[in-house]
Amino acid sequence: MAEIRRAVRVALAGVDGPVVIGLSGGADSLALTAAVAFEAPKIGVSAIAVVVDHGLQPGSDIVAARAVAAAGDLGIPARAVAVEVGTEGGLEAAAREARRAALRDAARAAGARTILLAHTLDDQAETVMIGLARGSGATSLAGMAPIRADDGLVWLRPLLAVRRETTRAACLAEGLPAWHDPHNLDRRFLRVRVREEVLPRLEVELGPGVAEALARTAEQLREDADAFAEMIDEVIEDIVEPAEAGIAVSVAALVANPAALRHRIIRHVVASEFGQSLTRAQTLEVARLATDWHGQGPIDLPRCRASRRGAVIAFTAAG
C-alpha cells in the first residue's frame, strides 16, 4: 500500500481543486481510491469517486452499489452512473468511450479539472503489445500517458509504474473488498488473450521482466512523440496556408524534412483539420505527392482529399 500511496502523492502534488476517481470496484481502482483517501486530505484536495455501470452483465448495478459503499467506507463520497454502451468500434472501445464520457460529465458537474484512472504497468504492457501486433506505429506503442490534457480536463494515471499484483496485495492487506470482473477472463476480448496467454508465454520463453520492458519502451516512445510534437508546433504555421475548403502544405517543406517528421506533419494536418487518423499506407501515398511526384491524381482520404497543386499539397473536404 505504501508504494501506491507514494505514486498517488506524487500525482496529486500539482493538483488544483477537487479530483474525480474512476472506480470500477476492482483491485486497481479500489487501491487507488484508498490511497487518495489517505493522501488527498494532507494537501487539502477533495475527491469523489464515480462508478460507471456499463450494464453489460447481470447484476452490474449491485456491483456498482458495492463499489460506492466501499468508497464511502474509505471516506470518499461516491455515486454510480449508468451508461448505454453502443457497438461501434467493438464492445471494448464502445465501453471505454461511454466510460470516459461519463467521467468527463461527472468532473464538470463537480467543478473538477482532474480525473484519476487506475491503469497499472500491466495495462501499459498489454496496450503496447496490442499496438505492436496491429502495427499501429510509434504513437500507439507509446501507450498510455501518465498525464494527458483533453478538452479542459487533466487525466492522471498515477499507477502506471505499479504492478497489478501490488494493487491486489494492497487490497488484501487493507481488507478492501475488490471485485473480480468476469470479463477479465473472457477470451473473446483481445486484451484478455494478451493478458492471460501471450504475456505469460513470453515470460516463459524470454525470461521475467517482459512487462517492465514493454512499459519502458512506451516511456521512451512517448519522449520521442513529445519531441516530434514540439517540432511540428514550431514549423507548422510556416509551412501551411489556407486553401479552399481546407488547408495546403508546402511541398518544399515536406521534402526538406526527414521522413519521420514529414509523415507526422501529414497526419497532424489531417487530424487537426478533419478529425481523422490516417493509416500508414495513406500517409505514404500522400507523402509521394511531394517526394515522388509524376502527375498522379488526387488521393481520397477519410473525410478529405489530398492533391498536388503546384508548390503545395492541398487537403480539401470530401464532397
Side-chain angles (χ1 to χ4, degrees):
M1 197 70 214
E3 180 181 347
I4 297 170
R5 287 173 179 173
R6 282 194 299 271
V8 168
R9 189 183 312 138
V10 171
L12 292 179
V15 168
D16 180 24
V19 300
V20 168
I21 308 165
L23 174 62
S24 69
D28 299 341
S29 62
L30 198 54
L32 172 64
T33 302
V36 172
F38 185 84
E39 296 291 341
K42 297 179 181 180
I43 58 174
V45 170
S46 63
I48 65 169
V50 175
V51 183
V52 179
D53 177 8
H54 302 86
L56 297 177
Q57 303 173 53
S60 63
D61 56 335
I62 298 174
V63 172
R66 288 173 180 167
V68 168
D73 290 341
L74 290 167
I76 299 289
R79 64 186 181 93
V81 178
V83 298
E84 291 187 9
V85 178
T87 57
E88 185 176 354
L91 184 61
E92 286 178 288
R96 182 170 57 251
E97 286 305 310
R99 181 166 60 252
R100 290 179 67 84
L103 290 173
R104 278 196 297 266
D105 292 344
R108 287 169 179 152
R113 293 187 60 252
T114 304
I115 299 173
L116 303 182
L117 303 176
H119 297 108
T120 64
L121 184 147
D122 297 86
D123 294 308
Q124 184 77 294
E126 293 158 12
T127 299
V128 175
M129 180 58 66
I130 291 169
L132 183 63
R134 290 173 172 169
S136 303
T139 301
S140 177
L141 296 183
M144 297 175 285
I147 303 174
R148 187 170 73 87
D150 176 27
D151 198 18
L153 298 173
V154 177
W155 302 75
L156 298 182
R157 295 182 173 91
L159 307 186
L160 278 185
V162 176
R163 294 300 304 263
R164 186 176 292 133
E165 63 190 23
T166 302
T167 65
R168 292 172 176 169
C171 287
L172 286 173
E174 297 293 315
L176 301 175
W179 172 60
H180 301 285
D181 186 353
H183 276 172
N184 288 336
L185 297 175
D186 191 337
R187 292 189 71 262
R188 291 179 301 166
F189 302 116
L190 175 59
R191 184 172 291 271
V192 172
R193 298 196 298 274
V194 169
R195 176 183 304 152
E196 298 295 326
E197 299 177 21
V198 176
L199 286 175
R201 187 62 186 175
L202 287 176
E203 293 271 356
V204 170
E205 298 295 338
L206 302 179
V210 170
E212 290 87 347
L214 289 170
R216 287 196 303 273
T217 297
E219 186 175 1
Q220 293 165 12
L221 287 171
R222 279 198 306 278
E223 292 174 354
D224 291 346
D226 289 343
F228 276 118
E230 289 182 11
M231 294 178 190
I232 290 173
D233 288 341
E234 289 174 359
V235 305
I236 197 71
E237 290 187 5
D238 295 330
I239 67 173
V240 301
E241 61 186 58
E244 185 177 353
I247 193 169
V249 184
S250 164
V251 167
L254 289 176
V255 172
N257 279 296
L261 187 53
R262 175 165 59 245
H263 297 158
R264 285 174 181 266
I265 290 172
I266 291 170
R267 291 195 295 269
H268 175 82
V269 167
V270 173
S272 299
E273 190 73 13
F274 303 100
Q276 295 293 314
S277 298
L278 297 186
T279 66
R280 170 74 172 174
Q282 290 167 336
T283 303
L284 292 177
E285 282 302 302
V286 174
R288 288 180 62 241
L289 294 176
T291 62
D292 187 25
W293 170 247
H294 52 268
Q296 58 264 48
I299 300 171
D300 289 325
L301 302 168
R303 294 184 59 187
C304 65
R305 171 177 291 187
S307 58
R308 175 75 176 255
R309 297 183 183 177
V312 300
I313 295 174
F315 296 87
T316 55

